[in-house]
Amino acid sequence: MALKSTSHAVYEAKYHLVWCPKYRKRVLVDDIRERVKQLIYEIAEQFDFEIDKCEVAEEHIHLLISFPPRYSIARVVGIIKGISSSKIFEEYPKLKKMLWGGHLWEQGYFVRTVGEKITDAVIRRYIQKHSFSYKQLKIDNI
């Protein structure tokens, strides 16, 4: 993944997100499954998210995604789940009966940051190498 930039930031960050339908019901099947996937890509385009990979199984979704640092992880998940839920319930009203609580998605989600060559050990070494000793500062001159 190449470095990306916004007007005030340069970033390279990918996240593995996983979430499930409410009650872990196996409702993401057939045309609903395809529509959910399509909606996720449409939402990503609208909000400047970059999807590396998206898989929709019957009872959960895996997403490898990158987004500008102006968004928090919670905000990105909220955007995708909120918009997709509204659209799916609008287009497939029968689902509301199957998911009697009125929500398509479980509240929670799994997230993990993903690095290609930049691991936490590499970052630790980088920070250690670029740290400076406080002995180098001459506090009397500040």
Side-chain angles (χ1 to χ4, degrees):
M1 180 171 74
L3 289 176
K4 297 181 195 110
S5 63
T6 64
S7 57
H8 299 287
V10 176
Y11 66 99
E12 178 185 36
K14 276 189 184 179
Y15 303 89
H16 175 203
L17 298 173
V18 182
W19 67 87
C20 304
K22 196 73 172 174
Y23 318 114
R24 205 150 168 119
K25 290 268 192 174
R26 295 178 177 272
V27 296
L28 305 176
V29 296
D30 304 324
D31 55 333
I32 295 172
R33 178 185 195 164
E34 291 307 311
R35 182 63 178 135
V36 166
K37 192 170 188 175
Q38 180 185 30
L39 281 169
I40 290 171
Y41 278 97
E42 289 173 9
I43 294 163
E45 185 175 337
Q46 180 182 353
F47 286 88
D48 199 25
F49 306 157
E50 185 179 309
I51 296 176
D52 185 308
K53 188 74 175 162
C54 175
E55 286 302 327
V56 179
E58 290 179 350
E59 85 296 348
H60 69 280
I61 291 176
H62 282 276
L63 197 55
L64 184 55
I65 189 169
S66 176
F67 47 85
R70 68 179 168 266
Y71 295 108
S72 69
I73 294 166
R75 181 75 179 125
V76 169
V77 172
I79 288 168
I80 295 171
K81 288 167 76 173
I83 295 172
S84 64
S85 178
S86 295
K87 294 277 190 187
I88 291 296
F89 278 150
E90 183 181 301
E91 296 173 18
Y92 301 93
K94 67 178 181 174
L95 270 176
K96 274 205 171 183
K97 291 179 183 176
M98 295 175 69
L99 301 167
W100 55 89
H103 300 282
L104 176 58
W105 306 116
E106 290 281 352
Q107 284 185 333
Y109 57 91
F110 167 84
V111 63
R112 173 177 285 153
T113 56
V114 178
E116 291 178 17
K117 295 180 183 176
I118 308 298
T119 64
D120 56 350
V122 170
I123 298 298
R124 273 193 217 99
R125 284 195 306 272
Y126 176 83
I127 292 170
Q128 181 63 37
K129 182 179 176 186
H130 288 84
S131 67
F132 58 90
S133 170
Y134 284 103
K135 294 176 188 175
Q136 294 172 338
L137 291 177
K138 296 188 178 180
I139 300 199
D140 295 335
N141 294 338
I142 297 179

